[in-house]
Amino acid sequence: MANYDPIYLSLNDEPRDIIASMDEVVARRAKTTTTYQQRRWLPRALLLGGLFFLVLNFVLGYSGSLFIFVCIGWWIVAFVVWLALRRNRIGQRLAPEYDTAREVFFTLRDDVAPKKFFFGHLDLTGPQQTSKVARTAKNALGRNVSFYRDEWLSLKAKLYDGNMLRVSAVQRMKVRDSYTKRSASGKLKMKSALVKDDRQQLSVRLSVNPQVYDVATMRLMKPGTGIGTYTIVQCANEGGIVNVVANAATSPVTATDIVSVLHAIYDQLQRKTGA
């Protein structure tokens, strides 16, 4: 599985400010990467410079140790520069869900009521954490299996039309845990963990403003309906609150997939005359 830089963003601000902050993170990472690429040659150059003084000391036949001290000084500086560059360089890429969330926020930015915020979080610290284990079990061979639930996107917003929108994007993973096994030669070997199932689940809850909308019958969003890479598994309207759950076998999903589900839900609403 690919490794990405872990990022956690708490959402509690206006949409445009959140988008600007996310863009700033990307720009800062790009600048750091450029700086690293421009300066990565410095430690090597300093090492060669120190070596030059060391060779010069022997070529000129100096009995003193002045050039040797200069050489050591250059090598110390090279090490310090190398350490600073290593600490400040970008380790891994951002997870693709980062761009997905940013595009979802960008799409919804004009639908939020004036002076209202996005609430929730963007958690891209990775799914396989102890705190994200939903349950454990044993498979047919008696091996431990962990079921992870990673809510990487949680979003709540009061929309311009008075509706309240809640979106939860969850990555669910079924992983057979690592274990030791004795080989035919009698040696113990470690079997690494194995992902048996990796899917995305999208849950949307829309509290409809009764002064503006009526909810039509949910005939267009029956279980089994495909929307993008998602397939609807649950769909209900209870007292003006629409709840939809959709699963996707593909991981990760795109912003288009998520927004398409939101559009499909809004297609079930009928605007009241004069509203």
Side-chain angles (χ1 to χ4, degrees):
M1 295 181 63
N3 292 320
Y4 302 104
D5 266 354
I7 283 186
Y8 183 94
L9 299 177
S10 179
L11 307 179
N12 185 15
D13 212 335
E14 294 185 355
R16 283 178 172 77
D17 292 333
I18 292 174
I19 295 169
S21 296
M22 295 182 72
D23 290 343
E24 184 180 351
V25 168
V26 174
R28 187 166 59 246
R29 287 171 58 89
K31 182 179 180 180
T32 300
T33 300
T34 300
T35 301
Y36 175 78
Q37 295 295 337
Q38 292 174 343
R39 300 178 181 177
R40 61 185 302 181
W41 59 270
L42 277 175
R44 185 176 301 177
L46 290 169
L47 284 173
L48 293 176
L51 183 61
F52 167 78
F53 282 105
L54 182 63
V55 172
L56 185 65
N57 184 80
F58 289 104
V59 170
L60 297 179
Y62 283 111
S63 58
S65 55
L66 174 61
F67 285 149
I68 293 178
F69 284 132
V70 173
C71 170
I72 294 174
W74 277 54
W75 285 355
I76 292 174
V77 173
F79 175 75
V80 172
V81 172
W82 172 81
L83 194 62
L85 289 173
R86 183 177 178 84
R87 287 179 176 176
N88 292 325
R89 70 176 180 176
I90 301 299
Q92 303 289 342
R93 298 174 297 161
L94 291 176
E97 288 87 353
Y98 190 89
D99 288 335
T100 296
R102 194 265 183 199
E103 289 303 311
V104 170
F105 300 156
F106 185 81
T107 302
L108 297 177
R109 71 194 187 287
D110 292 328
D111 296 322
V112 177
K115 299 182 180 180
K116 296 298 182 180
F117 291 178
F118 278 163
F119 297 99
H121 68 252
L122 177 62
D123 180 1
L124 301 180
T125 58
Q128 290 182 255
Q129 301 182 47
T130 303
S131 60
K132 297 180 180 180
V133 175
R135 66 185 180 91
T136 59
K138 290 186 179 296
N139 62 13
L141 298 176
R143 310 299 183 191
N144 291 328
V145 177
S146 297
F147 295 83
Y148 293 89
R149 182 186 184 276
D150 179 20
E151 187 181 34
W152 58 270
L153 175 62
S154 175
L155 176 64
K156 176 181 176 182
K158 181 68 174 293
L159 303 182
Y160 195 87
D161 55 14
N163 293 346
M164 178 65 74
L165 176 67
R166 295 175 177 84
V167 178
S168 173
V170 176
Q171 182 178 9
R172 293 185 177 274
M173 295 181 66
K174 176 183 176 183
V175 180
R176 188 215 63 205
D177 297 341
S178 60
Y179 66 94
T180 57
K181 181 180 180 181
R182 192 173 298 277
S183 65
S185 62
K187 295 182 179 180
L188 287 176
K189 292 186 177 181
M190 174 65 72
K191 295 290 185 179
S192 59
L194 179 64
V195 177
K196 307 293 289 186
D197 185 25
D198 183 3
R199 57 189 172 89
Q200 294 280 341
Q201 185 175 79
L202 181 69
S203 299
V204 181
R205 180 183 177 92
L206 184 69
S207 299
V208 179
N209 181 0
Q211 298 178 351
V212 179
Y213 295 104
D214 285 323
V215 181
T217 57
M218 308 298 288
R219 63 185 184 280
L220 300 179
M221 296 193 69
K222 298 181 294 184
T225 302
I227 302 176
T229 59
Y230 283 110
T231 300
I232 303 299
V233 294
Q234 295 179 27
C235 185
N237 169 30
E238 300 176 353
I241 299 178
V242 178
N243 288 286
V244 173
V245 178
N247 289 339
T250 303
S251 184
V253 293
T254 67
T256 300
D257 297 323
I258 295 176
V259 173
S260 294
V261 174
L262 300 182
H263 282 166
I265 293 175
Y266 255 80
D267 287 342
Q268 313 305 304
L269 308 184
Q270 292 181 344
R271 197 174 189 93
K272 293 184 176 180
T273 304

